[in-house]
């Protein structure tokens, strides 16, 4: 069986069952000899920014000389990107081996994400990782990553997403994210709304978890941008300059979170600075020049993230170059609100269907397809061909679409 077939078979588990649940997942890990207890875990939750925080923090720990595991989702090109050691994706052979080890210990039926989480935990134990950075898949409280006792918990920006599962208010969603807090374990929280902050503070008190709020300006302020090379210049209070190899509306906040996390873990400043300068994060305001077209790829996929993307977009030179929007969304996202935010800023809009089972199709868009400057092309490859006739294209709305574009143009 080749790798693609193996992975497709694994994906069918989501449709077949809702998963074993956290208690049964703990029993599975016991049968696997508790791999999560063999390294130090940093657990990260949040609506937006958590993937960036995880990747940047893992890279920082690697630059400091530690064997560092990283578990993130989704992937852009290959499922192996979800499980990384020292910035390198797991091999297809090791991916299959880790999954098969998990399935051999399965008693209660596991869903797709539970299998992947357990496989990552097993792989990191085999590789003798010192630190492992775990990104929650959904929420936090009931997520399979919410196992063991981390050395540090981080909660990035909180907004409305996955409302059918996590709740329809910021308080409800914050309670799910706050579920990763553990007694006595320090927690860093990014700047958020007063409604969300009240829930996080109360949970921290209940759990007796030392809580530190991290806001932009401590220690970094964004100062300038290099849009060609993808750098943000950060300033500290004493005007020291740091280069961050990321662009975007919340990257300075993310950098502040990672800085505080790294310092709490004992990482020296020179390693943090090296990590900031050398991090690579495809699909987050990533610029790719292909022939005569400049593509900007960004995986924003909920209204809060889209507002941040548009706020930053207005600071760029691309906003003045008659840009085209190439977008696609998942059915379970608030894509109509995202389109309302996006469409006024683009002379031409191309909507397509991302290469995923949950991709929103023509019947989902209703009146939007009657707007004069909007073109609907269901075949994403054909949509990309249309976009390549334009000078500047922003591609957003779904990591599945961003990944497909990235694979075709790079």
């Amino acid at each position: 069986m080749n790798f693609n077939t193996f992975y497709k078979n694994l994906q069918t588990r989501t449709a077949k069952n809702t998963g074993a649940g956290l208690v049964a997942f703990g029993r599975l890990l016991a049968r696997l000899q508790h791999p999560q207890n063999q390294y130090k875990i940093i657990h990260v939750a949040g609506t937006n920014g958590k993937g960036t925080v995880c990747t940047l923090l893992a890279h920082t720990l690697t630059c400091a000389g530690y064997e560092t595991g990283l578990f993130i989702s989704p992937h852009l090109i290959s499922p192996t990107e979800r499980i990384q050691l020292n910035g390198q994706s797991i091999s297809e052979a090791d991916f299959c081996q880790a999954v098969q080890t998990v399935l051999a210990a399965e008693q209660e039926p596991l869903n797709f994400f539970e299998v992947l989480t357990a496989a990552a935990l097993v792989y990191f134990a085999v590789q003798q990782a010192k630190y492992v950075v775990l990104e929650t898949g959904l929420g936090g409280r009931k997520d399979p990553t919410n196992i063991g006792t981390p050395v540090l918990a981080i909660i990035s920006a909180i907004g409305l997403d996955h409302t059918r599962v996590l709740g329809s208010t910021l308080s409800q969603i914050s309670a799910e994210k706050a579920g990763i807090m553990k007694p006595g374990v320090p927690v860093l929280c990014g700047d958020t709304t007063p409604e969300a902050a009240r829930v996080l503070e109360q949970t921290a008190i209940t759990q007796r978890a030392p809580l530190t709020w991290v806001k932009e300006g401590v220690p970094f302020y964004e100062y300038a941008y290099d849009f060609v090379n993808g750098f943000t210049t950060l300033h500290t209070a004493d005007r020291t300059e740091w280069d961050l190899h990321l662009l975007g509306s919340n990257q300075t906040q993310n950098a502040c979170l990672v800085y505080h996390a790294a310092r709490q873990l004992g990482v020296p400043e020179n390693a943090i600075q090296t990590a900031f300068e050398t991090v690579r994060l495809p699909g987050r305001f990533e610029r790719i020049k292909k022939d005569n077209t400049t593509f900007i790829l960004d995986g924003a996929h909920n209204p809060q993230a889209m507002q941040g993307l548009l706020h930053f977009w207005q600071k760029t030179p691309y906003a003045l170059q008659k840009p085209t929007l190439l977008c696609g969304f998942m059915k379970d996202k608030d894509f109509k609100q995202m389109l309302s935010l996006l469409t006024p800023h683009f002379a031409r809009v191309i909507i397509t269907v991302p290469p995923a089972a949950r991709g929103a199709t023509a019947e989902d868009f209703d009146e939007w397809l009657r707007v004069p400057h909007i073109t609907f092309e269901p075949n994403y490859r054909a949509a990309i061909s249309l976009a390549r006739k334009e000078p500047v294209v922003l591609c957003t709305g779904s990591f599945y679409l961003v990944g497909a574009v990235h694979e075709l143009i790079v």
Side-chain angles (χ1 to χ4, degrees):
M1 184 185 300
N2 66 33
F3 180 76
N4 289 336
T5 302
F6 181 89
Y7 185 72
K8 286 180 181 178
N9 288 342
L10 187 60
Q11 286 180 300
T12 63
R13 285 177 166 264
T14 298
K16 288 179 179 179
N17 61 77
T18 57
L22 201 54
V23 173
F25 189 73
R27 290 195 291 266
L28 169 75
L29 295 181
R31 293 191 294 275
L32 292 167
Q33 307 302 313
H34 297 289
Q36 77 279 12
N37 295 337
Q38 298 183 39
Y39 32 74
K40 296 179 180 180
I41 291 174
I42 299 98
H43 198 193
V44 183
T47 305
N48 294 307
K50 65 181 185 293
T52 300
V53 168
C54 286
T55 301
L56 182 54
L57 180 55
H59 184 56
T60 300
L61 290 166
T62 299
C63 288
Y66 298 112
E67 292 288 310
T68 306
L70 173 65
F71 179 60
I72 53 174
S73 60
H75 61 270
L76 277 185
I77 308 300
S78 170
T80 59
E81 298 164 23
R82 294 170 179 250
I83 303 173
Q84 300 179 28
L85 185 73
N86 299 332
Q88 298 298 312
S89 298
I90 187 173
S91 70
E92 292 181 354
D94 285 343
F95 183 101
C96 294
Q97 179 61 56
V99 168
Q100 288 166 343
T101 298
V102 171
L103 298 183
E106 181 181 24
Q107 292 181 3
E108 297 94 341
L110 302 168
N111 66 24
F112 168 76
F113 192 72
E114 287 170 336
V115 173
L116 281 190
T117 303
L121 297 174
V122 166
Y123 176 73
F124 297 140
V126 170
Q127 297 298 319
Q128 299 182 319
K130 174 71 172 180
Y131 285 100
V132 168
V133 182
L134 293 181
E135 178 187 5
T136 58
L138 181 62
R141 183 172 63 91
K142 297 181 180 179
D143 195 76
T145 59
N146 196 23
I147 41 82
T149 302
V151 296
L152 179 66
I154 302 173
I155 300 176
S156 64
I158 294 177
L160 295 175
D161 199 8
H162 300 292
T163 53
R164 294 178 186 176
V165 179
L166 302 180
S168 58
T169 68
L170 284 178
S171 293
Q172 291 171 324
I173 292 173
S174 299
E176 294 297 319
K177 309 292 185 187
I180 72 168
M181 294 186 189
K182 300 290 192 305
V185 175
V187 57
L188 303 177
C189 291
D191 199 12
T192 190
T193 65
E195 181 182 355
R198 284 192 293 271
V199 175
L200 298 178
E201 287 174 346
Q202 185 56 56
T203 305
I205 291 170
T206 301
Q207 293 283 12
R208 296 183 179 179
L211 170 62
T212 301
W213 289 103
V214 178
K215 298 185 179 182
E216 187 172 328
V218 186
F220 302 118
Y221 302 88
E222 61 184 36
Y223 177 70
Y225 311 104
D226 180 344
F227 292 106
V228 173
N229 298 303
F231 280 91
T232 300
T233 299
L234 306 174
H235 266 187
T236 62
D238 63 0
R239 296 294 181 179
T240 301
E241 288 192 359
W242 286 51
D243 284 332
L244 175 66
H245 197 210
L246 295 170
L247 290 170
S249 61
N250 293 313
Q251 300 298 18
T252 304
Q253 165 78 85
N254 295 334
C256 291
L257 273 171
V258 170
Y259 177 87
H260 282 275
R263 294 299 289 153
Q264 186 146 338
L265 295 169
V267 176
E269 279 204 351
N270 64 332
I272 304 173
Q273 192 160 11
T274 297
F276 280 25
E277 292 171 354
T278 57
V279 68
R280 297 293 184 272
L281 195 56
R284 273 77 165 186
F285 213 90
E286 179 185 16
R287 175 187 178 272
I288 299 175
K289 185 71 181 294
K290 183 67 175 180
D291 301 325
N292 296 319
T293 303
T294 298
F295 282 90
I296 306 298
L297 309 182
D298 193 277
H301 56 276
N302 58 57
Q304 182 191 37
M306 205 61 73
Q307 286 175 331
L309 170 59
L310 285 171
H311 176 74
F312 187 74
W313 180 257
Q314 300 309 310
K315 300 179 183 181
T316 74
Y318 311 119
L320 303 175
Q321 298 176 30
K322 296 182 179 180
T324 292
L325 174 67
L326 172 63
C327 58
F329 310 90
M330 296 294 103
K331 286 178 182 286
D332 58 348
K333 300 295 182 180
D334 192 353
F335 54 83
K336 292 184 179 180
Q337 184 179 350
M338 287 189 274
L339 279 171
S340 295
L341 293 168
L342 287 163
T343 52
H345 300 279
F346 298 89
R348 185 183 186 190
V349 176
I350 303 170
I351 301 176
T352 190
V353 182
R358 294 183 294 111
T361 56
E363 59 267 24
D364 298 307
F365 291 100
D366 304 325
E367 70 280 1
W368 284 101
L369 302 188
R370 294 191 289 272
V371 177
H373 72 298
I374 292 180
T375 300
F376 181 78
E377 171 48 67
N379 184 301
Y380 73 91
R381 293 177 182 272
I384 294 169
S385 294
L386 290 175
R388 289 183 64 175
K389 299 175 183 178
E390 306 293 339
V392 175
V393 177
L394 172 65
C395 174
T396 190
S398 163
F399 273 112
Y400 293 99
L401 177 60
V402 167
V405 174
H406 195 284
E407 188 172 22
L408 287 174
I409 67 175
V410 171

